[in-house]
Amino acid sequence: AAETKELRRVFDHLANFLPKQDIYKRLSPYLDRKTDLVAYHHNPDAIEVKDDDGNVMDADAVDAELEVLNTKVEELQKRIASYDNNPNKKIHPEDLNEAMKVLGRKCTKKEVQDMIWEVDENLDGCVDWDEFKLMFHRNITDSTGLEPFQLFNVVQFMMYDKDNSGQVTIDETMHMLFARYGKKNLESQMKILFGDNLQTSDGDGELSFNEYL
């Protein structure tokens, strides 16, 4: 059940990733500014905020800007929610391509299309939830080594990477491996990922996506 929950989280994250990423880029500076304004409210004597011209703002000016910011943030968050709440959402090639860039791996258009084609049961050029789930379970139960695994590798890494940081720590990985393999096989599976000393090649104890591959 925990694994299915994580699988769903990754699918929701990847579906419509490109348009959501564009919205997040617009949203990020608003959220940063809002954090500064809220911090001022909590401690106005110790914190000062400035407007775009570098002038120190008083409480009324901060309140006015905060009201405008809240409206902008709410609007953008509603747009993201409209993508996330769509029951027919899918992972498109452009979504997967953008997600790979965020993970630090550049792919050609054909490489991305091949990753989708391997699991695209209805041949619509996208990956829906049923196809996504089927792909995952085919891979974790495959004993032949013949099951296509390109998209699975991406999904497995993102399941470990719960905070979407692009790095997988030992702690993040351990819980998932314990749930799948049990206590008896946990150590051997951890060593497959992190080596005998539970370290990565660069010694930082974290795996980037490229190190994982």
Side-chain angles (χ1 to χ4, degrees), residues 58-71:
D58 59 21
D60 289 340
V62 169
D63 286 342
E65 183 180 348
L66 194 55
E67 185 177 349
V68 172
L69 268 181
N70 283 333
T71 300

Side-chain angles (χ1 to χ4, degrees), residues 21-89:
Q21 194 73 358
D22 289 340
I23 299 173
Y24 278 123
K25 287 177 182 177
R26 293 179 56 195
L27 183 60
S28 181
Y30 292 154
L31 292 176
D32 290 342
R33 179 62 172 174
K34 181 178 177 179
T35 298
D36 293 339
L37 299 182
V38 171
Y40 167 83
H41 264 297
H42 290 158
N43 198 355
D45 294 330
I47 297 175
E48 68 175 27
V49 290
K50 297 180 179 181
D51 60 21
D52 292 339
D53 297 323
N55 301 314
V56 177
M57 300 170 64
D58 59 21
D60 289 340
V62 169
D63 286 342
E65 183 180 348
L66 194 55
E67 185 177 349
V68 172
L69 268 181
N70 283 333
T71 300
K72 291 180 178 179
V73 167
E74 184 178 356
E75 178 189 345
L76 292 174
Q77 288 176 334
K78 281 182 178 179
R79 290 180 60 188
I80 293 171
S82 70
Y83 284 113
D84 286 338
N85 296 331
N86 182 352
N88 299 314
K89 61 189 172 187

Side-chain angles (χ1 to χ4, degrees), residues 7-199:
L7 185 65
R8 183 75 212 199
R9 175 184 63 79
V10 173
F11 176 78
D12 291 343
H13 182 66
L14 286 174
N16 296 309
F17 185 88
L18 180 59
K20 288 191 297 186
Q21 194 73 358
D22 289 340
I23 299 173
Y24 278 123
K25 287 177 182 177
R26 293 179 56 195
L27 183 60
S28 181
Y30 292 154
L31 292 176
D32 290 342
R33 179 62 172 174
K34 181 178 177 179
T35 298
D36 293 339
L37 299 182
V38 171
Y40 167 83
H41 264 297
H42 290 158
N43 198 355
D45 294 330
I47 297 175
E48 68 175 27
V49 290
K50 297 180 179 181
D51 60 21
D52 292 339
D53 297 323
N55 301 314
V56 177
M57 300 170 64
D58 59 21
D60 289 340
V62 169
D63 286 342
E65 183 180 348
L66 194 55
E67 185 177 349
V68 172
L69 268 181
N70 283 333
T71 300
K72 291 180 178 179
V73 167
E74 184 178 356
E75 178 189 345
L76 292 174
Q77 288 176 334
K78 281 182 178 179
R79 290 180 60 188
I80 293 171
S82 70
Y83 284 113
D84 286 338
N85 296 331
N86 182 352
N88 299 314
K89 61 189 172 187
K90 298 179 181 181
I91 302 170
H92 305 83
E94 54 268 28
D95 298 321
L96 186 55
N97 184 52
E98 185 67 17
M100 297 295 281
K101 288 180 184 177
V102 171
L103 289 173
R105 191 168 186 85
K106 294 183 179 179
C107 297
T108 66
K109 183 177 180 180
K110 185 179 186 306
E111 286 173 335
V112 172
Q113 289 174 336
D114 285 347
M115 290 169 68
I116 288 181
W117 178 82
E118 286 179 348
V119 301
D120 182 15
E121 298 288 324
N122 61 10
L123 300 178
D124 66 350
C126 305
V127 180
D128 60 31
W129 168 240
D130 288 335
E131 292 167 336
F132 193 79
K133 187 166 53 174
L134 179 62
M135 169 275 300
F136 181 79
H137 288 291
R138 278 180 172 173
N139 272 275
I140 64 172
T141 58
D142 177 36
S143 59
T144 66
L146 299 176
E147 189 67 36
F149 55 81
Q150 292 187 84
L151 182 58
F152 173 77
N153 282 338
V154 180
V155 172
Q156 184 71 94
F157 180 85
M158 296 183 78
M159 288 176 72
Y160 295 146
D161 182 20
K162 291 188 177 185
D163 59 359
N164 298 318
S165 66
Q167 301 283 331
V168 168
T169 67
I170 291 176
D171 288 342
E172 284 178 318
T173 312
M174 191 175 295
H175 179 72
M176 188 71 67
L177 291 179
F178 178 80
R180 183 183 300 169
Y181 297 106
K183 182 178 180 180
K184 181 179 178 180
N185 297 311
L186 175 61
E187 184 177 355
S188 63
Q189 292 299 322
M190 291 294 292
K191 285 182 177 179
I192 289 174
L193 283 176
F194 292 98
D196 289 341
N197 297 321
L198 296 185
Q199 291 288 326

